[in-house]
Amino acid sequence: MKHLVRVVRERHQVFDEQLARLVDIDAGEVWDRLEAESGDLSELIDVAERVAAVDGDITAAEKGVIAELRSRLRLR
């Protein structure tokens, strides 16, 4: 998302403040929202892996987030 905001600004001289705000994600809030959900969320692992692979090989940082997601989903 950060890359998208930068490219749009650089190539088209457009700055979308609402889009830019979407980039700043509070990981704690994401995990809190995830924990508040009920039911089987195991499909999120597949989705996370697909999203991470969109731009090429999955990076170490992306693998770390996916591992944490796996861990949190097993705690349910």
Side-chain angles (χ1 to χ4, degrees):
M1 289 298 293
K2 288 180 182 181
H3 177 69
L4 176 61
V5 171
R6 182 181 55 77
V7 168
V8 169
R9 183 178 60 241
E10 290 173 358
R11 293 187 184 170
H12 305 286
Q13 291 72 46
V14 172
F15 181 73
D16 185 328
E17 187 175 328
Q18 186 176 13
L19 180 59
R21 277 186 268 153
L22 289 174
V23 173
D24 293 324
I25 297 172
D26 179 343
E29 183 178 339
V30 172
W31 297 130
D32 289 345
R33 287 179 181 223
L34 180 67
E35 290 172 6
E37 292 297 321
S38 60
D40 180 14
L41 301 177
S42 60
E43 288 184 359
L44 289 178
I45 300 297
D46 182 50
V47 171
E49 290 172 341
R50 288 175 187 226
V51 169
V54 164
D55 60 349
D57 292 339
I58 299 175
T59 67
E62 291 166 335
K63 288 178 184 177
V65 172
I66 293 169
E68 183 168 359
L69 178 61
R70 271 194 186 97
S71 174
R72 288 175 180 267
L73 291 178
R74 283 189 197 129
L75 296 176
R76 295 173 150 244

